[in-house]
Amino acid sequence: MGRHDEWWTIGETRLTSLVEAETMGVPVQLFYPDASGSDVTDAAWMDPALGGPDGISFRVQSFVLEHRGLTIVVDPCVGNGKHLELPFWNELDLPWLHDFRAAGFDPAAVDLVIHTHLHEDHIGWDTHVVDGEWVPTFPNARHVYVDVELEWTASEERRQGQDPYAESIVPILDAGLAWEVGVDADLGDGLRLLPTPGHTPGHVSLEVETGGDLLVITGDILHHQFQLARPDIAEVADVDRPLAVRSRTDFFTEHADTANVVAGTHFGVAPVGHIESHGGAWRWTPTSGTPVSS
């Protein structure tokens, strides 16, 4: 595991990547059962640091936006002490919250927390334990939940074996910090949700008007850069695979060959850049960031 926190300026908006964990050499079939190492190497344009036939890079990271006087956290990772079925996420003890503060951010000063969807690695740091109780980490922030997604996540079927809803969402609801919206909500201040369903029923991406180039945060519409070359390959957690493929393809088509800046939520090594048409599909061109001082 390793950390590579960075920031970028897009228009008048500053985007900071805060990495909870980055793992190299993840077997491709762990996330993509229908893929092989050759599917990765077929993306010949890809930086070798992102992966090869023996494995791919994978990040769990949040993006923090400093935007129009607001501090906004997008997808706050797995969190510490969560009781989760995946052993590599169960009861973590990682310095993400320390890193958040070291990067100059105050949890009490966060204005908005936005979730692209409600899988456990996108909601975890919404809460932390104080005196044996889960309490909000960002006590003054409105927490954006897509209504369809929240209903699906709260279902009994989704809460079998583990209960991130109880640990990471219920304390937010009880504190009156939840803001339920539709899949295409305009959140104001140049923030809009873009419906990108398939990975989950209410999955969205986030568009940010920066006063310069449009910034788009993907969420889990894709997990790795090689999917630009193979959008037909589904990720293991895509609940509706045909719909996820359509959402990916539509997203790539819309944002390719434009000035739009794309931030890939799980992209390792180089998570911010541009999508370009390439050989009947697409490719990734990264934009270098500035390391975060800590």
Side-chain angles (χ1 to χ4, degrees), residues 47-164:
D47 185 334
L50 297 174
D54 297 325
I56 56 176
S57 64
F58 181 83
R59 274 188 185 179
V60 178
Q61 70 190 327
S62 297
F63 291 115
V64 182
L65 298 170
E66 295 167 88
H67 173 76
R68 299 190 183 180
L70 303 174
T71 300
I72 303 160
V73 177
V74 183
D75 287 342
C77 298
V78 176
N80 283 352
K82 305 293 175 166
H83 303 98
L84 302 174
E85 289 184 319
L86 289 176
F88 44 82
W89 287 346
N90 184 50
E91 297 189 358
L92 294 180
D93 184 14
L94 295 175
W96 185 91
L97 191 56
H98 171 273
D99 297 340
F100 183 86
R101 292 189 175 103
F105 302 115
D106 177 2
V110 172
D111 300 286
L112 200 61
V113 179
I114 298 175
H115 308 94
T116 61
H117 63 298
L118 300 179
H119 278 159
E120 54 269 29
D121 55 321
H122 295 256
I123 60 175
W125 277 110
D126 281 347
T127 62
H128 65 293
V129 171
V130 175
D131 297 329
E133 301 291 334
W134 295 107
V135 301
T137 303
F138 312 106
N140 299 308
R142 292 188 298 171
H143 292 60
V144 175
Y145 301 109
V146 169
D147 48 11
V148 174
E149 186 78 3
L150 189 62
E151 181 180 0
W152 178 70
T153 305
S155 67
E156 289 299 323
E157 181 182 358
R158 290 289 300 157
R159 299 173 70 177
Q160 297 298 315
Q162 62 178 21
D163 200 355

Side-chain angles (χ1 to χ4, degrees), residues 196-214:
T196 47
H199 183 63
T200 62
H203 187 282
V204 295
S205 302
L206 175 66
E207 295 185 343
V208 183
E209 295 177 359
T210 69
D213 297 330
L214 182 70

